[in-house]
Amino acid sequence: MTTTTTGRAARWPARMLRVLMTLALTAGVFALAPSTALAAATRGFAYVWANQPSASLNTPYTPSGYYSRNSTGAVNSVVRTGVGQYTVRMPRLGLLGGTMHVTAYGATNHSCSVAYWSPVGDRLDVHVRCRTAAGYLADTYFTASYVNTAYLGGRFGYVWADQPSTGSYTPSTTYQFNSAGVRNTITRSGVGRYTVRLPSIGSAAGHVQVTAYGDVAARCKVVNWYPSGTAQMVNVRCFTLGGALRDTRFTLTYTRGTGLLRTTPAAYAWANQPTTASYVPSAAYRYNSAGHTNRITRQGVGVYRVSTPGMPLGYGDVQVTAYGSDSRYCKVDHWTPSTGIQVRCLTASGTAADTYFDVSFVR
């Protein structure tokens, strides 16, 4: 997958929500944050590579079928609604619940976040915002993935962290999941500092993805994760695009021994040696459904190649999140069968920088 360019909920008071719903229905429009979405159709998953960043405004296009999939068999589309503003349409997945991740794509210093998602009839509309390192909205390529699952067993969980200024709380039960059938919780320890607790699926292993949520100029990342008793603890930091800690909503997924969408083929890796020329990442924090060994090669400052033998890299979806307590961030540059998955990491100001990261591939 290459290009010829250089780039690739809030809670509403009940009374106000009733008023807004009435106005929206009267106008024939309904687009609210996840916790206020309409009734669901079915469960499933979808992903897309948004490969026309400067498409005509308000004109849907069908992204490449190699890098777009919908578990219902429907065809996804993307609409550019403004500079750096996009809506990904996922037909027949008009669901309450689930979780989203988005990663900017290409050789720029842009980053992307999920503004919100909601059903429109039986379709799920996912609204994405992309910005330069300086915080300006900007057209760019990106990848987006969605999953809504009810399958118990294994180690898999997600949350929508919907109360960024609350000390300790249970996030929206509609937009969280735990494969052990129990509820996840979140604790805020300071500005932009959070710990997500996923009971009964703890392990010194696995994989994490984090994405900032809301129509805000912010990024979020994973700091670390570890078992505490039987629970999985995941620390998260959120920042302004300038690198200062800030309270921000976010989405988070934890998985062990399966793909980010609970599908195969799939692979993931924790890149934990940012200045090493070439290495095999820790066995506990890598996965390859084909049974092969993933490898990471540093190709320059902040530029890495992730090899995932046996994975069909002429297809699929890649998500990347930076790892650590600082404000550095990472994105996917591109992926192909011959080059592997190329990851690019940067400082908050947008200059290349070596750093840890988590990378996930699914087909």
Side-chain angles (χ1 to χ4, degrees), residues 44-317:
F45 67 88
Y47 59 73
V48 66
W49 170 46
N51 63 331
Q52 297 183 36
S54 299
S56 298
L57 284 175
N58 303 312
T59 303
Y61 72 88
T62 301
S64 168
Y66 293 106
Y67 308 102
S68 178
R69 186 179 178 189
N70 185 309
S71 61
T72 72
V75 177
N76 305 317
S77 63
V78 181
V79 184
R80 177 174 171 263
T81 58
V83 175
Q85 302 173 70
Y86 305 92
T87 300
V88 180
R89 296 176 173 178
M90 300 176 172
R92 297 165 59 184
L93 285 174
L95 313 178
L96 278 170
T99 198
M100 286 294 314
H101 290 292
V102 173
T103 300
Y105 174 105
T108 67
N109 62 15
H110 298 161
S111 60
C112 299
S113 61
V114 178
Y116 66 97
W117 69 95
S118 63
V120 177
D122 72 346
R123 186 184 76 211
L124 188 71
D125 280 8
V126 181
H127 300 269
V128 175
R129 301 290 184 266
C130 298
R131 293 176 167 85
T132 66
Y136 298 106
L137 287 165
D139 294 335
T140 193
Y141 300 79
F142 64 89
T143 63
S145 68
Y146 170 79
V147 65
N148 188 332
T149 182
Y151 172 70
L152 300 181
R155 289 183 170 89
F156 188 88
Y158 55 73
V159 298
W160 170 46
D162 59 332
Q163 300 178 44
S165 301
T166 300
S168 183
Y169 68 100
T170 299
S172 169
T173 55
T174 302
Y175 295 90
Q176 68 156 279
F177 175 78
N178 186 305
S179 58
V182 292
R183 291 188 176 179
N184 310 311
T185 57
I186 299 176
T187 301
R188 175 183 179 272
S189 57
V191 175
R193 301 170 183 265
Y194 307 95
T195 300
V196 178
R197 183 177 186 272
L198 302 105
S200 303
I201 58 173
S203 180
H207 179 76
V208 172
Q209 285 290 323
V210 179
T211 299
Y213 174 98
D215 196 358
V216 294
R219 302 186 193 99
C220 296
K221 62 189 292 187
V222 59
V223 176
N224 56 30
W225 68 92
Y226 55 90
S228 178
T230 61
Q232 190 70 21
M233 313 297 285
V234 185
N235 287 314
V236 173
R237 296 287 183 275
C238 295
F239 301 88
T240 66
L241 298 193
L245 286 164
R246 67 162 292 167
D247 291 335
T248 303
R249 290 173 287 179
F250 60 88
T251 61
L252 176 148
T253 301
Y254 169 78
T255 183
R256 179 188 174 191
T258 188
L260 190 66
L261 304 180
R262 304 198 89 177
T263 61
T264 57
Y268 62 67
W270 172 44
N272 63 333
Q273 299 179 41
T275 59
T276 299
S278 184
Y279 66 99
V280 173
S282 169
Y285 302 98
R286 71 171 191 265
Y287 170 71
N288 185 308
S289 63
H292 300 299
T293 300
N294 305 325
R295 174 176 286 275
I296 299 174
T297 302
R298 180 178 180 269
Q299 298 186 309
V301 176
V303 181
Y304 304 91
R305 173 179 178 174
V306 182
S307 299
T308 55
M311 292 296 102
L313 295 184
Y315 304 85
D317 176 80

Side-chain angles (χ1 to χ4, degrees), residues 22-44:
T22 300
L23 292 173
L25 290 171
T26 300
V29 177
F30 201 96
L32 296 176
S35 61
T36 58
L38 291 173
T42 183
R43 296 185 185 272

